[in-house]
Structure formats: structure tokens, C-alpha cells
Amino acid sequence: MMSHMADANLMEKIVSLCKRRGFIFPGSEIYGGLAGTFDYGPYGVVLKENVERLWLGMFRDGRDDMYGVDAAILMNPKVWEASGHVAGFSDPLVECEKCKRRFRADHLQFKYKKDKNGKILEDQEVWVCENCGTENKKREPRQFNMMFKTHAGAMEDDSATVYLRPETAGGIFTNFKNVVDSLHPKLPFGIAQIGKAFRNEIAPRDFIFRLRELEQMEVEYFIHPLEWEQAFEEWRKMMHLFAEAIGLPQNMVHELEVEAKDRAHYSKRTIDFEFEYPFGRKELWGLAYRTDFDLSAHETNSKVELRYLDEATGEKFTPHVIEPSLGVDRTVLAILASAYREDDMGADVRTYLALAPKIAPMKAMVSPLLKNKPELVAKAREVRAELQKIHPAIAWDDNGNIGKRYRRQDEIGTPFCVTIDFDTLGEKPELKGTVTLRHRDTGEQERLTVAQVAGRIRAAIS
Ligand code: GAP
């Protein structure tokens, strides 16, 4: 088997598989696309939903101290003034003197020019434009706000400006009081939300890694200020458990303690969870201690009190916040990149996705050996219906020969294929009622009863 890290073309292969098998397509493709946008296709959307369902189970529904919201994407612009995003959510930007292409200054490699004797000229720092090759002098970057603006209502003047939210967190902080007033939760408690966020990234790149329209799974966990370190540790462990649950190899996930100068304006401590993507080790998720920055800022700006009264002690204070923030798209990409496998079969290469059965879009595929034999088709339909009692995502595939069907399901990451043949119907009496179960990762096949197959699938996805 080929090691995925050794393959320089891995990203190309993943992008191609995603398109070929209906996982992910370029956004607005028939019009030439729109940079930084992608659409999830039939299998991609199920994979993404499985990731989100698992997250909801672990981060919200499996806990007594968590609540959900689904806030509006368009919010009063004062939200983003208070949160600091209008003033500070910007990237440092430089422009190539020749082709005018813009780049993030913090992504550039600078070098010193040398004179004709090879002596380094320390006052002449330059960067090379990756678009046209021009050597540009290092200059002070300009700040470029990354929020998308639009207008609410009939007027298009500044008074009607609204922003597409740059993080889902905003809709959680603004609902803190609503949740407290309606459900009366006791601290510590958290609010979880999954939803779209928008960032006008200067250089969207690396497939679904850096997008302009992205999806986040975020928790704001409200605590007494003295409890932040303990809560930070708990969520840190939870994020590792989630990485394990979705099948990310533990040795590909790394923690990076973010230095003060690189932290977001609201954070007193941040750990980036980095993943070994094919294009390098990059941020997958973030865990931040946001202090009382947001609730205090919203209280000051809205003039609505956002403090919490501890009825047991009589203490009234502004809760502090621990925020585990997970990008859905980066998670999906990490899953795809770590699951991609190629098996050299001699005559050709077998490609498959070694997805954890829990998140695989299809749990199994059922197939009649021949599609023009009604008795095989009827039995296969019956077996599929039986297996769908365990999970509805049981694919049906009777297209092409059985080898082609297996290869197709391998690329979709379907862990099991179940084939119904004449022995199932009793051609060999001792095999009556049995089917062939094929395993995706090894290609091995075994003869089992339908009840045994059901047991295997149940065990794999539970
Ligand atoms: N509420 C905190 C927050 O938004 P962030 O580090 O800016 O913090 C959190 O973003 C997560 O959202 C990142 O760790 C990443 O998973 C995802 N994310 C951020 N920008 C992204 C982009 N342009 N494309 C895809 N995912 C992105």
C-alpha cells in the first residue's frame, strides 16, 4: 500500500476523486466557478452530515450542560463593531508592483538581495511574486477587512450595511441572555451552533481548506473566571476524542500553543490543532480562552446587562468563555486526506477511502450478482431492506460487473459490499441463505448469513 504522505500528487488525486464520485464540486462550475466556494455533492453532503452529527452527539446532545441555537447569519452590524471585527478582522495585504496580484504579507517568504560579490544587502528585503515572478521590495502591508458587506432593505447607503457573519460565535454571544432567561441554566454551561460563516480571504486555496464560504461547529462555554484552566483542559481532551471518533490518525494531529502576538484580539490563550495535510502542517481547529471580552463588549455596546447571578453565592459577574471552534470543511478534508489509499494490484491500482464506518456516507452496498435475474434481484432487495433496519444508508448497485461495483464503492469508502448469488437461493443447499461479504480495506470475502452480516455492520458503526 502506498503511504499517502509520500505522494506529491495526493491533493490532485483527492480533488479528482471528490469530483468523480460526487463528494465535492467547484462552486458555480458551469459558469467557470467562483474562487473560494465549493458545493458538496450527494456523498459529500452525507459525509459532512455524519461529521456534524457526531459533533452534535459529543459536544451538545450527550451532555447535560449544553444547549443549541441556530442564529441568523445577518446580524445587526453593531454586533461586529462590539466584537472588534469591524475594526480588527483584517489581514495584512501587499500588492505585486507589476501584476497587481494581492498577497497576505504573513504568507510571504522574504529574502535579502545580494550585491554582485554575493554580499547580503541587509537593507534590501524582497519577496518574489508567485504569479509573475517579479521581485518586490518589502513594504508596510495595508490592512484589508475580511468581512463581506451587503445591504439590508431597499436602500444601498451606508446606513443599510450589514455583514455576513465571519464566525458563528457572534450569534451565540447575542443569545446568551435569551438562553439564560428562558432555560435558567446553571454555570458552567455552553451553547453550541453549526452554521455558515463568510470571510473574504485574499487567497482562497488548497481545495476546501481556505474558503470564502465555510462552515463552523462552535461552542461558547460560559464559566466562572476562576475555572477557565480546568474548562480549557476538558475541551482540549474533548477535541482529541472527536479527532479519534472521526478516524483521524492521532500522529497526524498536533497541538500548537499560539504566541500572544499571533492570537486573535479576544484571546488570552489559544491552542491550534494542526493537521498534516498533503500541503503541510496547517490549522485544523482552534481552542481559545476568550475571557469576558465578548459579553463585556456586548454589554457596553448594547446597554443590556449580560452578567450572571450565582444564586447559591449571591455573586454577580460576567462569565468568561472557553471556545472550541471547529471548521467543518477542514475536518472533511483531513478525513479525506488521511483515508485516501492506493493498492498496487499489479495490472492496475485499486483506490479506496479507508473511512471510519461511523462517518462513511454508505454503510454497505447490496448487489445482485446479475441484474437480469429477477429471483436474484428480489432476494437482494429483501436483504437490503433487512440491513436498512440497522441503518438507512445501504446502497444499491447493480451497474456493470461485480468487480466494477466493488471498485466504485471502494472509492466512496463503503466499508462492506454484500453480494447475493445463486448459492444464496440454494443452488448449493448447504449455502442457502448465505451471502458474500466483502471488506473494503482488504478486499477479503467471506460467506455469512444475513444475520451475521447485520451483526458485522452494527458492530462497525456503533
Ligand atoms: N470563533 C473563532 C474563530 O472563528 P478561527 O480560528 O478564525 O476562530 C475557527 O476559525 C476555525 O474555522 C478554524 O480552525 C478552521 O477550522 C475554520 N476556518 C477558519 N477560516 C477558514 C477558511 N477560510 N476556510 C475554511 N475553514 C476556515
Side-chain angles (χ1 to χ4, degrees), residues 309-323:
L309 173 68
D310 185 332
E311 279 164 4
T313 63
E315 190 187 358
K316 202 174 203 190
F317 57 93
T318 307
H320 281 218
V321 167
I322 301 297
E323 179 197 63

Side-chain angles (χ1 to χ4, degrees), residues 167 199 201 209 211 216 218 283-285 323 325 327:
E167 56 172 7
R199 299 181 180 190
E201 296 279 357
F209 179 80
L211 295 168
Q216 292 183 316
E218 296 202 297
E283 179 188 337
L284 167 67
W285 307 322
E323 179 197 63
S325 175

Side-chain angles (χ1 to χ4, degrees), residues 263-337:
R263 287 198 294 261
H265 57 279
Y266 49 70
S267 176
K268 245 195 175 157
R269 185 178 180 198
T270 298
I271 287 180
D272 278 353
F273 282 67
E274 295 190 323
F275 184 77
E276 290 178 24
Y277 288 102
F279 41 86
R281 195 160 140 173
K282 294 273 162 67
E283 179 188 337
L284 167 67
W285 307 322
L287 174 65
Y289 169 37
R290 284 180 87 129
T291 66
D292 60 347
F293 176 89
D294 300 88
L295 288 184
S296 291
H298 288 307
E299 181 172 288
T300 307
N301 283 268
S302 67
K303 313 269 187 294
V304 175
E305 188 183 68
L306 297 176
R307 268 166 264 187
Y308 173 84
L309 173 68
D310 185 332
E311 279 164 4
T313 63
E315 190 187 358
K316 202 174 203 190
F317 57 93
T318 307
H320 281 218
V321 167
I322 301 297
E323 179 197 63
S325 175
L326 289 77
V328 178
D329 314 278
R330 287 190 189 180
T331 308
V332 169
L333 183 56
I335 289 169
L336 291 170

Side-chain angles (χ1 to χ4, degrees), residues 424-438:
T424 314
L425 302 179
E427 197 164 280
K428 284 195 197 121
E430 70 278 17
L431 293 181
K432 189 162 191 248
T434 64
V435 296
T436 301
L437 180 71
R438 176 191 177 267

